[in-house]
Amino acid sequence: MSHQVLGVEEVNTAAEALRIAEFAKFKPAYYLEEINEIQINGSSWRMLASVDIENSEDHFLAVMDKWTLSAETIIPPVERTVVDDLTKRQEPSHNGADLGLVNSHIRRTLIPKRKGKDCWLEEDVVVSKLDSSTYIQFIPRVTNSSDIPFYYPQVATYGFGYIRTDDNCTACTLVILVRELAIGSAVATKKQRSVWQDLVKKLYKWTVTERFGYQKHSEHDVIIDYEQYTAKYHQLKAKYAQRWVEGWTEQTDPKKFVYEDIAIASWLLCLWEQDTDAQDNNQPTFVDLGCGNGFLVYLLTSEGYTGYGIDQCARKIWTQYDCQVDLRAQTLEPFNFVTDADWVIGNHADELAPWVPIIAAKSTSPSAKFVVIPCCPHDLSGKKMPLKANAGQSKYHIYVKYICDLSEQCGFLTEREYLRIPSTKNVAILGRARTLGDHRDNIAKLCESGESGFVARIPDSVKNKLSMEKAKQRAHNPALSAD
């Protein structure tokens, strides 16, 4: 079974060039400071933004369909959207406006991520046709404006319009319209104004993208179900995030590292729970190579799993963890390293990343598996790889393919998943099952090849010490500074 590496396969570069050229034509007009009121079929609306676009009505409607079925696409605090039976005839909402002949009218429910804090919202979505223009209204079904949750626009109704502006139907304009609760309520804050600006840009780009038939090269939730993952993520976030963001002792950004590791831990826990069902409830053990701040090890340990992390040097934050969190400061020779862990983890492990599948294959655990989330490209020698990408490729995904190739040489069936983490280096490569055959010769040759030229990275603590010594020398000898 051969692997397929997402993002590496050839793309239609000609279509991609046309799409990017269309993006360059994005010239929006914003009406956020002054009020631009327009009349549509006898009802008053405030226009917040407009942008000209080539004739793309079918593509505009395709985008509206996607946004209707998945409100979380444009409202991030929403976890998922539940749409009522589309065959039912819904009663119009009293907050809506008559924008012409109604083509469709459905009801949906927005379910927020923070279920304990934010309320669900029922909403009508009405598609209307007036002359040669099309309008889509999103109407919250609330009795009082105070019932509108924080994550929803503070409006009585908002909508998108596709307006033809000439008799030949070639010149068209996309617009964002609102009926405000009070004058200025939709644009009262900088954040609100930014939301509308981002929305018109997204509307334009999605419509253009739909026209050129662009296909996504990354698919989330292939291995772990989205709802299972998000439930686990919100559970861990509520349990750990605030404490560690506020008490972070490293110089790094706590919001990035805390939330990213909570996301990775959530995904791993779901994965292990999925695997454990088929393994008679035997919880797997783990080793995290290049564990850095050790927060991922802390999370997995705190959730009841046994394992340890290794990094070249200890971090200040290590002393803040509970005593049962096993973190070890040592420089690894990966070609000689052997573990009995069931799972070998490499999360942005730099020069150790390509060794992760090899170490898993050598593990004394008979069913050892691995997951590696590669970052900077290193080969088995520990040196950075000079990668050259062709049209339709990225250097990162070429590196992903390199690690997948190593995995297959070690006898693993390779899987991959785009993780929902705040990083562009978000591909997880998995080895959970083995191919038939004896791969010991391949593994030995890889170890021999890596050992012959391997150069361990200089620990940051040593680098800092050398830098301080050089600074002292320059202070005592100004001639060195002049050089």
Side-chain angles (χ1 to χ4, degrees):
M1 176 179 176
S2 63
H3 63 262
Q4 177 192 19
V5 183
L6 301 176
V8 174
E9 49 272 278
E10 293 281 333
V11 299
N12 186 332
T13 53
E16 184 68 357
L18 289 172
R19 189 172 73 102
I20 293 172
E22 284 297 311
F23 286 176
K25 297 178 183 178
F26 177 67
K27 306 292 182 185
Y30 299 115
Y31 311 99
L32 304 175
E33 302 297 335
E34 75 277 11
I35 294 179
N36 182 9
E37 185 173 314
I38 63 172
Q39 296 290 318
I40 304 175
N41 206 31
S43 61
S44 297
W45 290 80
R46 177 175 177 177
M47 184 187 296
L48 298 181
S50 66
V51 61
D52 293 336
I53 193 169
E54 290 186 19
N55 186 7
S56 301
E57 183 175 12
D58 289 343
H59 308 113
F60 166 75
L61 289 172
V63 172
M64 290 296 102
D65 283 345
K66 291 178 180 179
W67 289 9
T68 297
L69 296 175
S70 301
E72 57 272 23
T73 304
I74 59 172
I75 308 178
V78 171
E79 179 181 287
R80 60 193 175 95
T81 307
V82 177
V83 177
D84 287 356
D85 187 346
L86 301 184
T87 63
K88 291 182 180 179
R89 177 65 182 174
Q90 303 287 1
E91 291 297 323
S93 169
H94 61 85
N95 290 330
D98 181 5
L99 293 182
L101 179 64
V102 174
N103 283 2
S104 67
H105 183 184
I106 68 170
R107 189 160 296 159
R108 67 180 186 176
T109 302
L110 310 185
I111 301 176
K113 293 176 179 177
R114 304 191 310 175
K115 297 180 181 62
K117 294 184 177 181
D118 303 323
C119 61
W120 295 19
L121 179 67
E122 197 174 64
E123 184 187 36
D124 286 328
V125 182
V126 181
V127 181
S128 305
K129 189 82 173 178
L130 182 65
D131 297 327
S132 57
S133 300
T134 302
Y135 301 94
I136 291 85
Q137 294 183 75
F138 295 84
I139 311 161
R141 292 184 64 85
V142 295
T143 304
N144 301 304
S145 60
S146 59
D147 295 330
I148 297 177
F150 92 95
Y151 59 80
Y152 194 85
Q154 299 303 296
V155 296
T157 312
Y158 75 95
F160 304 100
Y162 182 87
I163 302 173
R164 299 190 187 277
T165 53
D166 70 352
D167 295 335
N168 297 323
C169 297
T170 55
C172 307
T173 300
L174 301 176
V175 297
I176 294 181
L177 306 166
V178 297
R179 298 177 72 201
E180 296 185 292
L181 297 168
I183 295 176
S185 64
V187 292
T189 67
K190 182 178 179 181
K191 184 175 182 179
Q192 287 174 318
R193 293 190 290 273
S194 177
V195 166
W196 298 117
Q197 289 173 328
D198 290 342
L199 203 51
V200 73
K201 185 176 183 180
K202 182 174 284 190
L203 176 61
Y204 179 89
K205 285 193 168 186
W206 278 52
T207 304
V208 168
T209 295
E210 194 73 29
R211 175 151 59 97
F212 287 102
Y214 178 75
Q215 298 294 319
K216 284 179 64 177
H217 294 286
S218 62
E219 294 294 339
H220 297 280
D221 316 313
V222 175
I223 296 171
I224 302 299
D225 176 72
Y226 171 74
E227 291 188 14
Q228 180 190 5
Y229 163 77
T230 51
K232 180 69 70 175
Y233 174 77
H234 290 301
Q235 176 192 341
L236 297 191
K237 180 182 173 184
K239 193 173 180 180
Y240 299 107
Q242 183 175 352
R243 172 192 170 189
W244 288 102
V245 167
E246 293 176 354
W248 198 248
T249 58
E250 297 295 302
Q251 295 298 314
T252 52
D253 180 5
K255 289 185 177 179
K256 175 185 177 351
F257 286 94
V258 169
Y259 290 113
E260 182 171 318
D261 281 355
I262 287 176
I264 293 171
S266 301
W267 186 81
L268 281 172
L269 292 173
C270 290
L271 180 70
W272 292 349
E273 289 168 6
Q274 183 184 92
D275 279 2
T276 298
D277 291 340
Q279 294 182 2
D280 301 324
N281 294 322
N282 292 322
Q283 282 196 336
T285 58
F286 70 90
V287 57
D288 184 2
L289 304 180
C291 65
N293 57 49
F295 191 59
L296 180 59
V297 177
Y298 161 78
L299 291 169
L300 298 176
T301 303
S302 299
E303 290 301 304
Y305 287 83
T306 300
Y308 62 99
I310 300 175
D311 204 274
Q312 277 191 316
C313 55
R315 306 293 200 275
K316 288 188 294 183
I317 196 75
W318 287 14
T319 61
Q320 305 299 311
Y321 301 138
D322 300 331
C323 59
Q324 71 265 28
V325 179
D326 188 353
L327 298 170
R328 309 173 187 181
Q330 66 183 85
T331 298
L332 283 186
E333 291 183 336
F335 42 85
N336 287 328
F337 181 73
V338 178
T339 180
D340 61 356
D342 298 319
W343 277 85
V344 181
I345 301 170
N347 172 26
H348 294 184
D350 292 338
E351 74 278 7
L352 295 179
W355 284 95
V356 169
I358 301 171
I359 291 170
K362 290 167 50 184
S363 172
T364 57
S365 171
S367 59
K369 305 174 177 66
F370 77 86
V371 57
V372 57
I373 306 168
C375 184
C376 302
H378 293 264
D379 60 22
L380 293 176
S381 72
K383 298 175 184 176
K384 286 198 172 183
M385 296 177 67
L387 300 176
K388 184 177 180 180
N390 297 319
Q393 293 180 321
S394 72
K395 291 182 179 180
Y396 177 63
H397 288 94
I398 293 174
Y399 187 51
V400 167
K401 185 178 185 304
Y402 168 74
I403 294 181
C404 287
D405 288 340
L406 291 175
S407 167
E408 290 194 348
Q409 290 181 58
C410 294
F412 286 100
L413 292 173
T414 307
E415 302 172 90
R416 67 278 178 274
E417 176 91 287
Y418 277 80
L419 302 182
R420 294 180 178 276
I421 60 176
S423 172
T424 56
K425 310 296 176 60
N426 63 342
V427 176
I429 304 168
L430 278 168
R432 292 191 289 177
R434 308 290 181 101
T435 57
L436 297 176
D438 188 345
H439 298 86
R440 285 178 293 182
D441 285 347
N442 287 347
I443 295 167
K445 287 177 182 177
L446 290 172
C447 288
E448 182 181 348
S449 170
E451 181 179 3
S452 63
F454 186 78
V455 178
R457 182 166 57 90
I458 300 173
D460 292 339
S461 58
V462 175
K463 287 182 181 178
N464 293 337
K465 185 176 180 181
L466 291 173
S467 178
M468 291 175 65
E469 288 177 355
K470 287 181 180 180
K472 288 181 181 178
Q473 291 175 2
R474 287 194 295 268
H476 287 92
N477 188 350
L480 294 176
S481 298
D483 294 339

PDB file of all heavy atoms in Angstrom, residues 24 41 89 104 113 123 140 171 180 217 240 322 326 341 349 354 371 389 404 417 429 442 445 459 482:
ATOM      1  N   ALA A  24      -5.943  39.629  -7.300  1.00  0.00           N
ATOM      2  CA  ALA A  24      -5.295  40.948  -7.379  1.00  0.00           C
ATOM      3  C   ALA A  24      -6.282  42.047  -7.779  1.00  0.00           C
ATOM      4  O   ALA A  24      -6.009  43.234  -7.580  1.00  0.00           O
ATOM      5  CB  ALA A  24      -4.133  40.892  -8.365  1.00  0.00           C
ATOM      6  N   ASN A  41     -36.598  46.870  -2.677  1.00  0.00           N
ATOM      7  CA  ASN A  41     -37.994  46.439  -2.671  1.00  0.00           C
ATOM      8  C   ASN A  41     -38.789  47.059  -1.514  1.00  0.00           C
ATOM      9  O   ASN A  41     -39.602  46.402  -0.868  1.00  0.00           O
ATOM     10  CB  ASN A  41     -38.062  44.910  -2.590  1.00  0.00           C
ATOM     11  CG  ASN A  41     -39.345  44.366  -3.204  1.00  0.00           C
ATOM     12  OD1 ASN A  41     -39.898  44.948  -4.134  1.00  0.00           O
ATOM     13  ND2 ASN A  41     -39.824  43.244  -2.684  1.00  0.00           N
ATOM     14  N   ARG A  89     -41.557  23.454   4.692  1.00  0.00           N
ATOM     15  CA  ARG A  89     -41.830  24.874   4.412  1.00  0.00           C
ATOM     16  C   ARG A  89     -41.812  25.618   5.736  1.00  0.00           C
ATOM     17  O   ARG A  89     -42.622  25.363   6.625  1.00  0.00           O
ATOM     18  CB  ARG A  89     -43.198  25.014   3.743  1.00  0.00           C
ATOM     19  CG  ARG A  89     -43.592  26.464   3.480  1.00  0.00           C
ATOM     20  CD  ARG A  89     -42.661  27.121   2.483  1.00  0.00           C
ATOM     21  NE  ARG A  89     -43.011  28.517   2.275  1.00  0.00           N
ATOM     22  CZ  ARG A  89     -42.290  29.357   1.552  1.00  0.00           C
ATOM     23  NH1 ARG A  89     -41.178  28.940   0.996  1.00  0.00           N
ATOM     24  NH2 ARG A  89     -42.670  30.605   1.394  1.00  0.00           N
ATOM     25  N   SER A 104     -35.691  30.013  -1.694  1.00  0.00           N
ATOM     26  CA  SER A 104     -35.574  28.977  -0.664  1.00  0.00           C
ATOM     27  C   SER A 104     -35.602  29.635   0.705  1.00  0.00           C
ATOM     28  O   SER A 104     -35.250  30.806   0.858  1.00  0.00           O
ATOM     29  CB  SER A 104     -34.278  28.165  -0.834  1.00  0.00           C
ATOM     30  OG  SER A 104     -33.143  28.974  -0.584  1.00  0.00           O
ATOM     31  N   LYS A 113     -19.104  26.641  20.429  1.00  0.00           N
ATOM     32  CA  LYS A 113     -18.053  25.803  21.010  1.00  0.00           C
ATOM     33  C   LYS A 113     -18.151  25.789  22.537  1.00  0.00           C
ATOM     34  O   LYS A 113     -17.984  24.751  23.168  1.00  0.00           O
ATOM     35  CB  LYS A 113     -16.678  26.306  20.566  1.00  0.00           C
ATOM     36  CG  LYS A 113     -16.402  26.135  19.080  1.00  0.00           C
ATOM     37  CD  LYS A 113     -15.068  26.732  18.691  1.00  0.00           C
ATOM     38  CE  LYS A 113     -14.782  26.546  17.202  1.00  0.00           C
ATOM     39  NZ  LYS A 113     -13.512  27.185  16.792  1.00  0.00           N
ATOM     40  N   GLU A 123     -31.913  30.269  13.516  1.00  0.00           N
ATOM     41  CA  GLU A 123     -31.756  31.312  12.502  1.00  0.00           C
ATOM     42  C   GLU A 123     -32.454  30.894  11.213  1.00  0.00           C
ATOM     43  O   GLU A 123     -32.485  29.710  10.857  1.00  0.00           O
ATOM     44  CB  GLU A 123     -30.252  31.500  12.257  1.00  0.00           C
ATOM     45  CG  GLU A 123     -29.864  32.605  11.310  1.00  0.00           C
ATOM     46  CD  GLU A 123     -28.368  32.580  11.026  1.00  0.00           C
ATOM     47  OE1 GLU A 123     -27.795  31.478  10.958  1.00  0.00           O
ATOM     48  OE2 GLU A 123     -27.789  33.655  10.862  1.00  0.00           O
ATOM     49  N   PRO A 140     -31.683  36.102  12.716  1.00  0.00           N
ATOM     50  CA  PRO A 140     -31.745  35.424  14.020  1.00  0.00           C
ATOM     51  C   PRO A 140     -33.171  35.393  14.550  1.00  0.00           C
ATOM     52  O   PRO A 140     -33.873  36.408  14.539  1.00  0.00           O
ATOM     53  CB  PRO A 140     -30.834  36.289  14.907  1.00  0.00           C
ATOM     54  CG  PRO A 140     -30.884  37.653  14.288  1.00  0.00           C
ATOM     55  CD  PRO A 140     -31.024  37.424  12.811  1.00  0.00           C
ATOM     56  N   ALA A 171     -21.147  42.926 -15.711  1.00  0.00           N
ATOM     57  CA  ALA A 171     -20.625  43.659 -14.552  1.00  0.00           C
ATOM     58  C   ALA A 171     -21.514  43.369 -13.346  1.00  0.00           C
ATOM     59  O   ALA A 171     -22.735  43.536 -13.413  1.00  0.00           O
ATOM     60  CB  ALA A 171     -20.583  45.150 -14.840  1.00  0.00           C
ATOM     61  N   GLU A 180     -29.629  47.265  11.145  1.00  0.00           N
ATOM     62  CA  GLU A 180     -29.040  47.409  12.478  1.00  0.00           C
ATOM     63  C   GLU A 180     -30.100  47.445  13.576  1.00  0.00           C
ATOM     64  O   GLU A 180     -31.245  47.855  13.366  1.00  0.00           O
ATOM     65  CB  GLU A 180     -28.187  48.679  12.535  1.00  0.00           C
ATOM     66  CG  GLU A 180     -26.982  48.632  11.602  1.00  0.00           C
ATOM     67  CD  GLU A 180     -26.081  49.830  11.760  1.00  0.00           C
ATOM     68  OE1 GLU A 180     -26.511  50.944  11.393  1.00  0.00           O
ATOM     69  OE2 GLU A 180     -24.950  49.669  12.253  1.00  0.00           O
ATOM     70  N   HIS A 217      -6.179  20.757  -1.061  1.00  0.00           N
ATOM     71  CA  HIS A 217      -5.173  19.695  -0.999  1.00  0.00           C
ATOM     72  C   HIS A 217      -4.968  19.215   0.428  1.00  0.00           C
ATOM     73  O   HIS A 217      -4.151  18.338   0.671  1.00  0.00           O
ATOM     74  CB  HIS A 217      -3.852  20.185  -1.585  1.00  0.00           C
ATOM     75  CG  HIS A 217      -3.949  20.473  -3.058  1.00  0.00           C
ATOM     76  ND1 HIS A 217      -4.019  19.480  -4.017  1.00  0.00           N
ATOM     77  CD2 HIS A 217      -4.032  21.639  -3.732  1.00  0.00           C
ATOM     78  CE1 HIS A 217      -4.116  20.022  -5.212  1.00  0.00           C
ATOM     79  NE2 HIS A 217      -4.130  21.320  -5.072  1.00  0.00           N
ATOM     80  N   TYR A 240      -6.860  22.986  31.580  1.00  0.00           N
ATOM     81  CA  TYR A 240      -5.443  23.346  31.703  1.00  0.00           C
ATOM     82  C   TYR A 240      -5.072  24.743  31.196  1.00  0.00           C
ATOM     83  O   TYR A 240      -4.072  25.315  31.643  1.00  0.00           O
ATOM     84  CB  TYR A 240      -4.580  22.336  30.922  1.00  0.00           C
ATOM     85  CG  TYR A 240      -4.695  20.919  31.406  1.00  0.00           C
ATOM     86  CD1 TYR A 240      -5.387  19.953  30.662  1.00  0.00           C
ATOM     87  CD2 TYR A 240      -4.099  20.512  32.592  1.00  0.00           C
ATOM     88  CE1 TYR A 240      -5.483  18.639  31.086  1.00  0.00           C
ATOM     89  CE2 TYR A 240      -4.185  19.195  33.028  1.00  0.00           C
ATOM     90  CZ  TYR A 240      -4.877  18.267  32.272  1.00  0.00           C
ATOM     91  OH  TYR A 240      -4.970  16.967  32.712  1.00  0.00           O
ATOM     92  N   ASP A 322       4.205  18.509  37.881  1.00  0.00           N
ATOM     93  CA  ASP A 322       4.134  17.543  38.977  1.00  0.00           C
ATOM     94  C   ASP A 322       5.306  16.569  38.893  1.00  0.00           C
ATOM     95  O   ASP A 322       5.861  16.321  37.807  1.00  0.00           O
ATOM     96  CB  ASP A 322       2.820  16.761  38.907  1.00  0.00           C
ATOM     97  CG  ASP A 322       1.604  17.679  39.024  1.00  0.00           C
ATOM     98  OD1 ASP A 322       1.751  18.733  39.678  1.00  0.00           O
ATOM     99  OD2 ASP A 322       0.548  17.356  38.454  1.00  0.00           O
ATOM    100  N   ASP A 326       7.824  12.786  33.749  1.00  0.00           N
ATOM    101  CA  ASP A 326       9.189  12.299  33.522  1.00  0.00           C
ATOM    102  C   ASP A 326       9.811  13.014  32.329  1.00  0.00           C
ATOM    103  O   ASP A 326       9.498  12.716  31.171  1.00  0.00           O
ATOM    104  CB  ASP A 326       9.136  10.784  33.287  1.00  0.00           C
ATOM    105  CG  ASP A 326      10.527  10.145  33.227  1.00  0.00           C
ATOM    106  OD1 ASP A 326      11.526  10.894  33.234  1.00  0.00           O
ATOM    107  OD2 ASP A 326      10.591   8.894  33.165  1.00  0.00           O
ATOM    108  N   ALA A 341       8.882   1.962  24.382  1.00  0.00           N
ATOM    109  CA  ALA A 341       7.596   2.661  24.351  1.00  0.00           C
ATOM    110  C   ALA A 341       6.731   2.149  23.200  1.00  0.00           C
ATOM    111  O   ALA A 341       7.232   1.752  22.143  1.00  0.00           O
ATOM    112  CB  ALA A 341       7.816   4.161  24.208  1.00  0.00           C
ATOM    113  N   ALA A 349      10.396  18.091  16.073  1.00  0.00           N
ATOM    114  CA  ALA A 349      11.602  17.594  16.753  1.00  0.00           C
ATOM    115  C   ALA A 349      12.884  17.884  15.984  1.00  0.00           C
ATOM    116  O   ALA A 349      13.932  17.302  16.297  1.00  0.00           O
ATOM    117  CB  ALA A 349      11.452  16.084  16.985  1.00  0.00           C
ATOM    118  N   PRO A 354      13.292  12.874  11.274  1.00  0.00           N
ATOM    119  CA  PRO A 354      13.368  11.750  10.331  1.00  0.00           C
ATOM    120  C   PRO A 354      13.718  10.426  10.992  1.00  0.00           C
ATOM    121  O   PRO A 354      13.512   9.359  10.394  1.00  0.00           O
ATOM    122  CB  PRO A 354      14.467  12.189   9.354  1.00  0.00           C
ATOM    123  CG  PRO A 354      15.297  13.163  10.117  1.00  0.00           C
ATOM    124  CD  PRO A 354      14.342  13.879  11.023  1.00  0.00           C
ATOM    125  N   VAL A 371       4.165   8.798  15.651  1.00  0.00           N
ATOM    126  CA  VAL A 371       3.563   9.977  15.029  1.00  0.00           C
ATOM    127  C   VAL A 371       4.633  11.063  15.008  1.00  0.00           C
ATOM    128  O   VAL A 371       5.312  11.303  16.006  1.00  0.00           O
ATOM    129  CB  VAL A 371       2.302  10.459  15.785  1.00  0.00           C
ATOM    130  CG1 VAL A 371       2.604  10.764  17.244  1.00  0.00           C
ATOM    131  CG2 VAL A 371       1.706  11.689  15.109  1.00  0.00           C
ATOM    132  N   ALA A 389      11.455  23.270  -4.560  1.00  0.00           N
ATOM    133  CA  ALA A 389      10.075  22.928  -4.914  1.00  0.00           C
ATOM    134  C   ALA A 389       9.792  23.286  -6.366  1.00  0.00           C
ATOM    135  O   ALA A 389      10.228  24.333  -6.856  1.00  0.00           O
ATOM    136  CB  ALA A 389       9.106  23.661  -4.002  1.00  0.00           C
ATOM    137  N   CYS A 404       7.741  10.225   4.910  1.00  0.00           N
ATOM    138  CA  CYS A 404       6.868   9.105   4.542  1.00  0.00           C
ATOM    139  C   CYS A 404       7.662   7.999   3.849  1.00  0.00           C
ATOM    140  O   CYS A 404       7.423   6.805   4.082  1.00  0.00           O
ATOM    141  CB  CYS A 404       5.744   9.586   3.634  1.00  0.00           C
ATOM    142  SG  CYS A 404       4.464  10.547   4.483  1.00  0.00           S
ATOM    143  N   GLU A 417      -2.523  13.190   8.560  1.00  0.00           N
ATOM    144  CA  GLU A 417      -3.677  13.999   8.970  1.00  0.00           C
ATOM    145  C   GLU A 417      -3.240  15.448   9.105  1.00  0.00           C
ATOM    146  O   GLU A 417      -2.168  15.738   9.654  1.00  0.00           O
ATOM    147  CB  GLU A 417      -4.185  13.499  10.323  1.00  0.00           C
ATOM    148  CG  GLU A 417      -5.319  14.307  10.919  1.00  0.00           C
ATOM    149  CD  GLU A 417      -6.693  13.797  10.515  1.00  0.00           C
ATOM    150  OE1 GLU A 417      -7.050  14.007   9.346  1.00  0.00           O
ATOM    151  OE2 GLU A 417      -7.370  13.201  11.366  1.00  0.00           O
ATOM    152  N   ILE A 429       2.237  12.650  10.538  1.00  0.00           N
ATOM    153  CA  ILE A 429       2.516  11.411   9.811  1.00  0.00           C
ATOM    154  C   ILE A 429       2.450  10.270  10.814  1.00  0.00           C
ATOM    155  O   ILE A 429       3.105  10.307  11.854  1.00  0.00           O
ATOM    156  CB  ILE A 429       3.901  11.461   9.145  1.00  0.00           C
ATOM    157  CG1 ILE A 429       4.008  12.682   8.222  1.00  0.00           C
ATOM    158  CG2 ILE A 429       4.180  10.177   8.369  1.00  0.00           C
ATOM    159  CD1 ILE A 429       5.417  12.965   7.755  1.00  0.00           C
ATOM    160  N   ASN A 442      16.842  -2.855   5.696  1.00  0.00           N
ATOM    161  CA  ASN A 442      16.592  -1.440   5.390  1.00  0.00           C
ATOM    162  C   ASN A 442      16.877  -0.566   6.606  1.00  0.00           C
ATOM    163  O   ASN A 442      17.511   0.496   6.494  1.00  0.00           O
ATOM    164  CB  ASN A 442      15.139  -1.238   4.962  1.00  0.00           C
ATOM    165  CG  ASN A 442      14.858  -1.781   3.583  1.00  0.00           C
ATOM    166  OD1 ASN A 442      15.777  -2.091   2.833  1.00  0.00           O
ATOM    167  ND2 ASN A 442      13.583  -1.899   3.240  1.00  0.00           N
ATOM    168  N   LYS A 445      20.589  -0.261   7.284  1.00  0.00           N
ATOM    169  CA  LYS A 445      21.262   0.618   6.320  1.00  0.00           C
ATOM    170  C   LYS A 445      20.963   2.090   6.622  1.00  0.00           C
ATOM    171  O   LYS A 445      21.840   2.953   6.498  1.00  0.00           O
ATOM    172  CB  LYS A 445      20.819   0.270   4.907  1.00  0.00           C
ATOM    173  CG  LYS A 445      21.393  -1.045   4.394  1.00  0.00           C
ATOM    174  CD  LYS A 445      20.858  -1.377   3.006  1.00  0.00           C
ATOM    175  CE  LYS A 445      21.388  -2.714   2.516  1.00  0.00           C
ATOM    176  NZ  LYS A 445      20.826  -3.082   1.187  1.00  0.00           N
ATOM    177  N   PRO A 459      23.299  22.382  22.025  1.00  0.00           N
ATOM    178  CA  PRO A 459      22.196  22.808  22.892  1.00  0.00           C
ATOM    179  C   PRO A 459      22.123  24.330  23.003  1.00  0.00           C
ATOM    180  O   PRO A 459      23.145  25.032  22.944  1.00  0.00           O
ATOM    181  CB  PRO A 459      22.540  22.172  24.245  1.00  0.00           C
ATOM    182  CG  PRO A 459      23.466  21.055  23.919  1.00  0.00           C
ATOM    183  CD  PRO A 459      24.233  21.476  22.715  1.00  0.00           C
ATOM    184  N   ALA A 482      35.499  45.881  16.499  1.00  0.00           N
ATOM    185  CA  ALA A 482      35.762  46.576  15.228  1.00  0.00           C
ATOM    186  C   ALA A 482      35.883  45.590  14.090  1.00  0.00           C
ATOM    187  O   ALA A 482      35.483  45.849  12.957  1.00  0.00           O
ATOM    188  CB  ALA A 482      37.047  47.406  15.348  1.00  0.00           C
TER     189      ALA A 482
END
